[in-house]
Amino acid sequence: MKIRNFIFGISLICVICFSSCSDGSSSSDSNDTENTTNGTESTTTDTSSKILDLRIKKDGVVYNPSRSIENAAEITQTDHVKATAVSGGIQFEISLPENASYLEIRRLEDIEGMEDFWTTRCEPQNIWYYAGQTYTFVYPLCEPGEKYKFNIGIETTENGVTTTLPEEIIIITATDGIGDINYSNLTSRHIDLSYDGTKPTVKVLNVIPPEGENVKTRIGYYAQNSSTGSDWKNDTIWFGNYVGDKSETISSSELYNAKDYTDPDNQVSYEKDAKIWTSKDDGQTWEKDEEAMKYCQELLATGFSHFFESTNKSCLLAQYAYTFEVNEMENPERYVWRTAILDSDIIKVK
């Protein structure tokens, strides 16, 4: 019997995209080093007095000529991308491959000693529809006279195999824009994580969320055996994402999508509202598998502990971000914007 999953509608998240970078940054990348771990409890030095304001503002970022980005030569054209400073922001013209399946524009910044740290991201939705065409839009989160550096990520999918193309870097000075987000307080601790054996609780401290339409909370959950995060690439695995309305405290056993590692040779992925189709004649005809779909949704609704236990790892961590729309854009619903990731401490729970 063959089973095929089809995911319909706009997804706020792309599980397979850039997973080698742990959805944007590793614990070591975040530079949140003011913590120690003792036994099963994590103790954090209090740096929460600094407010992280994620609202888009004019003149929100102080010009700093010592930054490596300020001193870098401009790059306005690469293999697939052409960037131009225009009224309203920076115009991107992106030549998408015939089998393009995902596009992401990540801003890179230098923050408190961290060079090329991923901050604000823009994810145009349903990019497969524009495959083989030139996709053009204006990136508005910028200010006149400031130099911006971007990492353009493109993925292609062919015969079920997804390939990440080499990164393409753009460096350009803006002449206009609506303002941007000031991440200068990013490295202060803003996330507290705890786990009661059934559900995690994530608390956001001293953070002002983005403004605009459709502001959501997005939390990625990861498991590992080390409580120091020293071997992110080999030790840490993603097992689930939570997506919901913005809130200062999220305490839920629900996941939006997840991966079950119970059978290492047959890892199973689940996603909310997934359409599961089954073939009984070796792919000649397909029909919805209502029973499988019901099981999928029930497991995601309460299954945090199941997915965490399936990893067979002892430590838990969370990466928190907001997603939002930018109303000033044309057709803002076509773009999901994501703030920089906030890392929790790594907590040992078993």
Side-chain angles (χ1 to χ4, degrees), residues 314-332:
S314 60
C315 295
L316 176 67
L317 64 149
Q319 292 189 331
Y320 187 106
Y322 291 100
T323 61
F324 60 101
E325 295 178 3
V326 177
N327 299 337
E328 290 82 353
M329 296 184 71
E330 182 179 357
N331 301 312

Side-chain angles (χ1 to χ4, degrees), residues 3 62 88 159 313 332:
I3 297 178
V62 177
N159 298 325
K313 292 180 180 288

Side-chain angles (χ1 to χ4, degrees), residues 50 74 113 118 153 160 202-203 226 323 330:
K50 296 183 178 180
E74 295 208 349
W118 299 4
V202 179
K203 296 182 179 180
S226 170
T323 61
E330 182 179 357

Side-chain angles (χ1 to χ4, degrees), residues 32-315:
D32 288 338
T33 56
E34 296 181 317
N35 66 283
T36 59
T37 301
N38 182 15
T40 61
E41 297 182 357
S42 176
T43 303
T44 305
T45 301
D46 183 12
T47 59
S48 60
S49 59
K50 296 183 178 180
I51 301 295
L52 178 62
D53 189 344
L54 298 175
R55 295 173 295 180
I56 300 168
K57 295 182 177 181
K58 286 276 192 179
D59 301 319
V61 180
V62 177
Y63 174 77
N64 181 358
S66 66
R67 296 189 312 163
S68 65
I69 292 174
E70 295 293 347
N71 298 324
E74 295 208 349
I75 304 171
T76 59
Q77 190 158 358
T78 58
D79 289 345
H80 295 92
V81 185
K82 179 181 178 181
T84 309
V86 298
S87 175
I90 296 170
Q91 178 176 278
F92 286 97
E93 299 172 70
I94 303 172
S95 299
L96 295 171
E98 291 291 339
N99 51 357
S101 57
Y102 182 76
L103 172 65
E104 182 178 64
I105 295 88
R106 313 184 200 99
R107 185 180 175 192
L108 305 179
E109 296 191 58
D110 296 343
I111 301 174
E112 295 186 19
M114 301 181 296
E115 290 191 4
D116 288 350
F117 185 86
W118 299 4
T119 57
T120 307
R121 312 184 201 183
C122 177
E123 303 173 10
Q125 299 298 286
N126 298 325
I127 207 64
W128 53 266
Y129 182 80
Y130 304 93
Q133 306 176 42
T134 298
Y135 187 84
T136 302
F137 79 104
V138 176
Y139 180 104
L141 269 63
C142 42
E143 300 187 43
E146 185 170 351
K147 186 179 285 186
Y148 289 82
K149 185 175 184 179
F150 300 96
N151 182 322
I152 314 301
I154 301 173
E155 289 193 348
T156 60
T157 302
E158 187 170 7
N159 298 325
V161 178
T162 298
T163 302
T164 300
L165 301 188
E167 64 182 24
E168 300 187 29
I169 300 298
I170 292 290
I171 302 175
I172 187 171
T173 301
T175 57
D176 195 16
I178 64 172
D180 55 18
I181 297 173
N182 184 348
Y183 289 106
S184 59
N185 289 336
L186 183 66
T187 55
S188 295
R189 174 65 58 193
H190 297 285
I191 298 297
D192 278 352
L193 171 66
S194 61
Y195 180 56
D196 65 4
T198 301
K199 65 180 182 297
T201 297
V202 179
K203 296 182 179 180
V204 186
L205 308 174
N206 293 302
V207 176
I208 301 176
E211 295 176 324
E213 298 296 326
N214 204 24
V215 180
K216 300 286 186 180
T217 291
R218 180 189 187 283
I219 306 173
Y221 290 106
Y222 299 82
Q224 63 183 56
N225 285 320
S226 170
S227 59
T228 64
S230 59
D231 190 13
W232 179 276
K233 182 177 180 180
N234 296 311
D235 183 29
T236 308
I237 58 174
W238 168 88
F239 68 88
N241 286 324
Y242 170 89
V243 176
D245 293 333
K246 65 178 180 179
S247 175
E248 292 184 354
T249 301
I250 303 293
S251 185
S252 175
S253 59
E254 179 182 1
L255 293 172
Y256 180 89
N257 57 352
K259 181 176 285 189
D260 189 336
Y261 295 87
T262 302
D263 182 354
D265 297 324
N266 184 30
Q267 300 170 8
V268 182
S269 296
Y270 296 85
E271 183 161 350
K272 187 177 181 179
D273 301 325
K275 301 298 186 290
I276 302 176
W277 300 79
T278 302
S279 176
K280 298 179 180 179
D281 53 11
D282 200 29
Q284 297 300 311
T285 60
W286 296 84
E287 60 183 26
K288 282 185 182 180
D289 190 330
E290 299 290 348
E291 184 176 346
M293 290 165 57
K294 180 181 179 182
Y295 175 77
C296 173
Q297 301 315 309
E298 289 177 347
L299 187 57
L300 287 171
T302 59
F304 182 94
S305 60
H306 168 82
F307 290 108
F308 177 46
E309 293 293 333
S310 79
T311 67
N312 199 30
K313 292 180 180 288
S314 60
C315 295

